[in-house]
Amino acid sequence: MTDQNPIIVWFRQDLRLADNPALAHAAASGQPVLPVYVLDDITQGAWRMGSATRWWLHHSLMHLSAALERLGSALLLLRGPGDVVIEDLAERIGAAEVVWNRCYEPYAIERDSRLKAALKGRIKASSFKAGLLNEPWEVLSGAGTAYKVFTPYWRACLSVTDPQPPLPAPERLIPCPDRPAGDSLSDWALLPTSPDWAGGLRRTWADGVGVGEAAASARLAQFLSHGASNYAAGRDVPGIDGTSRLSPHLHFGEISPRQVWHAAKQAGAKASESFQAQMDSFLREIGWREFCHGLLYHFPHMPERPLAPQFEAFPWASDDAALSAWQRGRTGYPIIDAGMRQLWETGWMHNRVRMIVGSLLVKHLLLPWQAGQDWFWDTLVDADLANNAAGWQWIGGCGADAAPYFRVFNPILQGQKFDPDGRYVRQWLPELKHLPDKYIHAPWTAPPMVLRGAGIMLGRDYPAPVIDHALGRQRALDAFAAMRGDPVEPD
């Protein structure tokens, strides 16, 4: 090998220049650098990216490509099974080394292992930690096993987590002299055409300007300077901008958890004890993300099967009409329907509302958590295999550190508690905007005169509840008792 043999940097869930260990390693070598992104729908199988994430990917790759060009390089786009494509490319260009940042999905681990084995003895292959603060095998219980309860896991993390400062972006890259031809981004047809359902995504994320590394950094700075001072309480109120909304940026690696960690710690160090407490609460959510990725690493069946094996026998229902009503935001429960319409419009949903809509699906409607997981997978711009699976298993009472199945969220009380003035409901359900606060979370309880005054006819302008809360709750408890084989007393 000579100094002219290029290094391939295989971009995956790390679409950024700063704090990118694989890219920094290649840039520091002094050799030509060939940045590559492979659209791999083959290896991902059933977990190929959903429609909303493909929309996001299109814009993220546009930003990454432009940023690399400013450094003197160009992003090569290829398509196919990632390990096969990268091995073939490395041989064609006589690569000195192939580098990437690690992913933790089961298919990614198998794919990357195949590539390392294929290149062994011929071309050097190196992988780096970039997407997590701690590797899944670095934080284990005293017995050497994976944690399945979050609080002791996070306590253990805090005892060992001292992230190094984020790496700066390279100042320049030496381009690969014999760069092969690749695809154009338009070849991949990641954006919808007919029908074009992405108008809401374009409005929400500034027509793609709100995507990418620069947007992620700007969003973090805005949150720390404006939204973080009341985070612990504000994060539960969907009608305000009380969360960081960094989840899609973290999923695509447009910002690293190490960057978030240090920015939050620095902001807290300059502020009051109260603000520091808010930052601790915020970083706890970064910890939950780490916890989910650890679960997926140690329990790779998590997206398909419950971690609590007794739930394999749960008597789930099959009801296409109820599932459709839930997906379309037509359940008759305003807090549920507002969340589902926010999801369809923006590709994102407030975390508190994610729990409420999930509870209705798996408990009131007795539909399997996998049905909710699959819908989120296709419609969320932050669809992350670890977070999505762990979150739905938590909701379904069958996962790690899960809420007991027999605790059934009351969608009326949840709306009244977390959206007391109906701001969130009115934003996403304009047909209810004239309904008084007293009835905004239970329109069917409003007197006929009030409904007429608000311009609402139930069943025409807004549906009646798809199921009565008390009936749905009891049905869930009965199903849980049937699974256990004995009666269950609720809390």
Side-chain angles (χ1 to χ4, degrees):
M1 297 295 176
T2 70
D3 288 344
Q4 293 306 305
N5 289 98
I7 295 180
I8 294 173
V9 179
W10 182 14
F11 282 89
R12 294 109 69 86
Q13 295 169 12
D14 52 357
L15 306 183
R16 62 181 184 272
L17 303 185
D19 201 33
N20 188 320
L23 181 63
H25 171 86
S29 71
Q31 293 171 243
V33 174
L34 179 58
V36 182
Y37 184 89
V38 180
L39 182 63
D40 183 355
D41 287 335
I42 308 292
T43 300
Q44 292 173 334
W47 299 111
R48 71 188 287 273
M49 281 182 287
S51 302
T53 45
R54 293 169 90 85
W55 180 91
W56 189 285
L57 176 66
H58 175 95
H59 295 287
S60 194
L61 289 175
M62 283 184 59
H63 291 294
L64 177 64
S65 181
L68 287 167
E69 288 177 5
R70 289 193 290 271
L71 297 186
S73 189
L75 182 65
L76 177 64
L77 300 178
L78 298 172
R79 180 166 33 183
D83 54 322
V84 176
V85 170
I86 293 296
E87 181 188 4
D88 176 69
L89 176 65
E91 290 177 340
R92 277 194 289 148
I93 68 172
E97 187 176 3
V98 178
V99 297
W100 63 83
N101 296 312
R102 286 188 280 275
C103 298
Y104 304 93
E105 294 84 358
Y107 60 77
I109 293 172
E110 294 174 3
R111 175 195 63 196
D112 297 351
S113 297
R114 287 196 303 268
L115 179 59
K116 280 192 173 182
L119 296 179
K120 188 174 182 180
R122 300 187 296 123
I123 300 170
K124 185 178 180 182
S126 304
S127 62
F128 301 84
K129 177 176 72 173
L132 297 173
L133 297 174
N134 299 291
E135 300 283 22
W137 53 87
E138 291 177 337
V139 183
L140 299 173
S141 70
T145 58
Y147 283 98
K148 296 181 75 173
V149 178
F150 173 70
T151 298
Y153 167 83
W154 187 230
R155 191 181 302 121
C157 282
L158 293 176
S159 70
V160 300
T161 299
D162 185 19
Q164 294 293 314
L167 298 166
E171 295 183 359
R172 65 181 295 269
L173 297 172
I174 299 174
C176 181
D178 298 315
R179 178 181 181 275
D183 296 342
S184 69
L185 192 53
S186 60
D187 292 337
W188 290 356
L190 298 173
L191 302 178
T193 52
S194 181
D196 180 4
W197 44 260
L201 271 66
R202 290 193 291 271
R203 289 188 292 272
T204 303
W205 306 102
D207 202 15
V209 175
V211 176
E213 183 174 11
S217 296
R219 178 62 195 175
L220 175 60
Q222 179 186 23
F223 168 71
L224 293 176
S225 60
H226 293 95
S229 59
N230 189 40
Y231 176 78
R235 62 184 289 269
D236 274 329
V237 182
I240 65 173
D241 188 15
T243 66
S244 72
R245 295 203 184 202
L246 287 172
S247 52
H249 301 295
L250 282 164
H251 170 68
F252 281 94
E254 297 168 350
I255 197 168
S256 74
R258 190 160 62 176
Q259 289 173 301
V260 175
W261 176 276
H262 281 281
K265 286 292 186 181
Q266 290 167 10
K270 302 173 185 177
S272 64
E273 289 186 10
S274 173
F275 190 84
Q276 291 176 28
Q278 303 300 317
M279 290 299 92
D280 289 343
S281 179
F282 171 58
L283 290 177
R284 186 178 172 88
E285 298 307 309
I286 299 296
W288 177 260
R289 178 178 180 272
E290 300 263 319
F291 180 58
C292 294
H293 279 269
L295 288 173
L296 181 61
Y297 175 81
H298 291 288
F299 306 102
H301 66 278
M302 187 171 69
E304 287 86 24
R305 303 202 322 273
L307 295 184
Q310 64 270 30
F311 273 85
E312 298 273 14
F314 191 87
W316 298 111
S318 178
D319 188 333
D320 291 343
L323 178 61
S324 177
W326 179 83
Q327 292 171 336
R328 292 164 50 233
R330 299 286 294 172
T331 69
Y333 288 103
I335 192 69
I336 304 292
D337 295 339
M340 298 306 292
R341 295 193 203 178
Q342 180 186 34
L343 171 61
W344 182 259
E345 177 77 8
T346 72
W348 185 87
M349 189 195 297
H350 190 277
N351 186 61
R352 166 58 60 176
V353 184
R354 295 188 197 201
M355 292 189 283
I356 304 170
V357 304
S359 179
L360 185 96
L361 183 76
V362 301
K363 296 181 180 177
H364 291 79
L365 301 180
L366 284 184
L367 294 175
W369 57 270
Q370 293 96 331
Q373 176 187 241
D374 292 349
W375 184 252
F376 274 24
W377 183 257
D378 193 46
T379 54
L380 281 171
V381 293
D382 62 7
D384 179 282
L385 192 61
N387 282 28
N388 197 32
W392 274 98
Q393 290 216 29
W394 185 91
I395 291 166
C398 58
D401 203 11
Y405 183 85
F406 53 78
R407 288 183 183 160
V408 181
F409 281 157
N410 181 328
I412 307 162
L413 296 181
Q414 289 285 307
Q416 292 169 345
K417 181 177 181 180
F418 296 109
D419 187 36
D421 60 1
R423 180 189 305 184
Y424 179 73
V425 164
R426 290 187 176 90
Q427 179 181 359
W428 298 108
L429 304 180
E431 63 267 39
L432 301 183
K433 65 182 177 181
H434 296 303
L435 203 61
D437 292 354
K438 180 179 179 180
Y439 304 108
I440 192 69
H441 293 293
W444 63 94
T445 65
M449 184 179 298
V450 172
L451 289 173
R452 284 197 299 271
I456 299 169
M457 179 183 291
L458 292 180
R460 182 195 67 183
D461 306 300
Y462 187 70
V466 67
I467 188 171
D468 175 74
H469 164 63
L471 174 62
R473 179 179 180 277
Q474 189 57 52
R475 192 168 67 158
L477 297 177
D478 292 344
F480 183 66
M483 181 196 75
R484 286 172 52 99
D486 54 49
V488 175
E489 292 297 330
D491 278 2

